[in-house]
């Protein structure tokens, strides 16, 4: 290829890998780097490493393992997209787990594939999410959400009535898929304060996961007026 052709060639899609298994990372790296339009620009074995390295590298796509020693890829996806909305996150897992898929959807992941996927299908998935498309089939997503709603034990009105006006506000924002940091910015609260509010409202509603609270929020009545401006401490 001469210099003119090289100048005309599009920049390869830059990919970051997060997986705690070195053999898996090496295999995926070799697979991607063998393609002229794909380039692995970094990798990590832990959530902490990924959260430190990805913002500096600014990749187009992050391929994230769901289960990790110090956390999970879904949380990493949510945190990274909080600061990099244009980042496409492709979740990679060994398990066919509806809960993980739903969590990934809530975190804004663009795709979700099993580690058993064929190499050609993984390449296709990376290219698809890099182009701005979703690997999450809308019909499957709707079906999973409906299934969760039907099987979820809904809180009684009495349980919802236990929530303070501030907790109602936070529940509504959880229902929009916002992170604790985003909720804190919107309500002028410290992230730790939001985390404490979320823990209390989950306990009051009798659920353990943010996703369950988010589904319940979709059916809850609008929050009562607190009578306080957002800038007031809670």
């Amino acid at each position: 290829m001469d210099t003119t052709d090289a100048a005309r060639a599009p920049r390869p899609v830059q990919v970051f890998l997060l997986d705690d298994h070195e053999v898996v990372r090496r295999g995926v790296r070799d697979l991607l780097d063998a393609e002229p339009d794909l380039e692995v620009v970094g990798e990590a074995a832990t959530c902490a490493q990924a959260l430190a390295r990805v913002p500096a590298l600014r990749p187009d796509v992050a391929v994230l393992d769901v289960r990790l020693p110090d956390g999970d890829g879904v949380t990493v996806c949510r945190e990274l997209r909080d600061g990099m909305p244009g980042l496409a996150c492709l979740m990679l897992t060994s398990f066919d787990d509806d809960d993980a898929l739903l969590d990934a959807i809530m975190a804004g992941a663009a795709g979700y594939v099993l580690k058993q996927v064929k190499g050609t299908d993984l390449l296709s998935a990376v290219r698809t999410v890099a182009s701005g498309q979703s690997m999450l089939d809308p019909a499957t997503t709707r079906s999973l959400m409906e299934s969760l709603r039907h099987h979820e034990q809904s809180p009684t009105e009495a349980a919802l009535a236990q929530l303070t006006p501030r907790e109602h506000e936070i529940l509504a924002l959880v229902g929009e898929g916002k992170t604790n940091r985003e909720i804190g910015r919107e309500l002028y609260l410290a992230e730790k304060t939001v985390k404490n509010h979320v823990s209390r409202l989950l306990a009051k509603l009798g659920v353990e996961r943010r996703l369950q609270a988010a589904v319940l929020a979709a059916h809850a009545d609008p929050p009562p007026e607190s009578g306080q401006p957002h800038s007031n401490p809670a």
Side-chain angles (χ1 to χ4, degrees), residues 31-44:
L31 179 70
L32 297 178
D33 279 345
E35 300 296 309
D37 61 325
L38 302 174
E39 177 189 11
V40 176
V41 294
E43 59 183 69

Side-chain angles (χ1 to χ4, degrees), residues 42-222:
E43 59 183 69
T46 66
C47 296
Q49 289 174 353
L51 291 172
R53 295 173 185 173
V54 172
L57 293 169
R58 310 296 294 184
D60 304 301
V61 177
V63 178
L64 309 174
D65 190 10
V66 170
R67 288 170 173 78
L68 294 152
D70 62 334
D72 62 88
V74 172
T75 300
V76 173
C77 171
R78 185 180 294 112
E79 291 290 328
L80 290 176
R81 283 181 51 78
D82 188 18
M84 302 170 59
L87 176 67
C89 293
L90 181 65
M91 312 310 297
L92 190 62
T93 180
S94 304
F95 307 93
D96 189 3
D97 183 343
D98 283 357
D99 282 346
L101 173 54
L102 285 164
D103 284 345
I105 293 168
M106 293 295 295
Y112 184 98
V113 294
L114 298 178
K115 287 184 179 178
Q116 297 90 324
V117 68
K118 292 179 182 178
T120 53
D121 291 337
L122 179 58
L123 293 173
S124 176
V126 170
R127 291 183 176 113
T128 296
V129 299
S131 71
Q133 300 178 65
S134 174
M135 284 289 296
L136 297 167
D137 176 63
T140 302
T141 303
R142 283 195 300 271
S143 173
L144 285 168
M145 293 300 284
E146 285 302 318
S147 174
L148 182 63
R149 288 189 183 103
H150 291 156
H151 290 89
E152 192 67 63
Q153 182 178 2
S154 297
T156 62
E157 289 185 11
L160 284 169
Q162 293 181 55
L163 301 185
T164 65
R166 178 64 88 193
E167 287 166 349
H168 273 286
E169 282 184 299
I170 291 173
L171 176 61
L173 294 172
V174 168
E176 295 174 13
K178 292 187 183 296
T179 65
N180 287 347
R181 185 178 306 166
E182 290 172 322
I183 293 172
R185 282 202 296 258
E186 184 154 338
L187 299 182
Y188 300 95
L189 298 173
E191 188 174 348
K192 184 176 180 181
T193 301
V194 174
K195 184 177 180 181
N196 291 337
H197 276 303
V198 170
S199 295
R200 283 197 295 270
L201 73 86
L202 292 180
K204 289 180 180 180
L205 295 176
V207 299
E208 298 178 359
R209 300 158 62 90
R210 286 176 76 95
L211 178 62
Q212 292 169 308
V215 172
L216 300 177
H219 300 283
D221 292 331

